């Protein structure tokens, strides 16, 4: 699972990309309905990812994040000094025993673009509107693009 959080002037979001052992990809984009720093959004992404995997009944998970801070704190390489970061870290530590195998690794931002795109998408959505996004694969160009396109001439004169 790849996780990412985003905090910007448009809002706060989380992106999750689950790749099953059968290589089925599940994508999730969540808009946070509360203010968060970027580090808090990164922790929210991790917690949402953990919760999603547990709901799926999985007992082993390999997670990837581009947040050096979050990965370092969870692995015990960095201290959580801020009270809010300590609480987020504590929540992660409480959920870890639910897995037979749990790993969290740092990946560069360039290796986490899929989750990043989903997190950014969440920040741009209207918070109170339901949303469905269809993603399709087109094998060939639309007929309009291949053929002649009719253009109507519009003349404008003085008003």
């Amino acid at each position: 699972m790849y996780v990412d959080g985003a905090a910007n002037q448009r809002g706060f979001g989380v992106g999750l990309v689950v790749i099953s052992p059968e290589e089925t990809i599940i994508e999730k984009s969540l808009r946070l309905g509360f203010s968060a720093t970027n580090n808090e959004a990164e922790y929210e992404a991790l917690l949402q990812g953990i919760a999603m995997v547990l709901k799926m009944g999985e007992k082993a998970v390999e997670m990837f994040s581009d947040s050096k801070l979050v990965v370092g704190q969870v692995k015990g390489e960095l201290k959580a000094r801020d009270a809010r970061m300590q609480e987020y870290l504590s929540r992660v530590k409480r959920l870890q025993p639910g897995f037979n195998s749990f790993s969290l690794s740092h990946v560069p931002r360039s290796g986490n673009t899929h989750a990043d795109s989903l997190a950014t998408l969440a920040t741009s959505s209207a918070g109170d509107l339901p949303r469905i996004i269809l993603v399709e694969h087109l094998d060939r160009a639309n007929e309009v693009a291949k053929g002649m396109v009719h253009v109507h001439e519009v003349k404008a004169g003085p008003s």
Side-chain angles (χ1 to χ4, degrees):
M1 173 175 275
Y2 290 82
V3 300
D4 199 19
N8 58 44
Q9 66 275 12
R10 295 176 308 210
F12 313 94
V14 166
L16 308 173
V17 179
V18 179
I19 304 172
S20 75
E22 300 78 31
E23 297 191 5
T24 299
I25 297 175
I26 302 168
E27 303 161 302
K28 192 167 185 179
S29 181
L30 298 116
R31 181 174 179 85
L32 302 179
F34 53 89
S35 293
T37 65
N38 194 63
N39 289 330
E40 290 167 349
E42 294 284 355
Y43 261 114
E44 287 291 340
L46 181 60
L47 288 166
Q48 288 294 325
I50 290 170
M52 186 175 174
V53 173
L54 287 171
K55 278 185 188 175
M56 294 168 68
E58 296 297 324
K59 290 297 182 184
V61 66
E62 192 175 0
M63 301 188 84
F64 301 92
S65 170
D66 60 24
S67 172
K68 286 182 182 178
L69 179 95
V70 170
V71 173
Q73 288 178 351
V74 171
K75 287 183 156 190
E77 299 166 351
L78 298 173
K79 287 198 178 227
R81 295 194 173 120
D82 176 277
R84 289 177 67 142
M85 293 296 104
Q86 290 172 354
E87 178 56 31
Y88 274 116
L89 179 58
S90 175
R91 287 186 204 165
V92 171
K93 294 294 186 185
R94 283 194 303 267
L95 293 171
Q96 278 182 300
F99 296 99
N100 296 332
S101 172
F102 178 93
S103 73
L104 175 62
S105 301
H106 178 261
V107 292
R109 290 194 194 283
S110 62
N112 205 27
T113 56
H114 195 160
D116 178 68
S117 295
L118 293 166
T120 302
L121 174 66
T123 68
S124 66
S125 67
D128 56 347
L129 297 176
R131 188 170 190 170
I132 297 172
I133 299 173
L134 303 175
V135 177
E136 294 183 38
H137 178 82
L138 296 178
D139 291 324
R140 57 187 174 82
N142 189 304
E143 295 301 316
V144 173
K146 287 172 51 176
M148 188 171 21
V149 178
H150 297 282
V151 177
H152 297 281
E153 185 177 335
V154 178
K155 293 184 180 181
S159 51

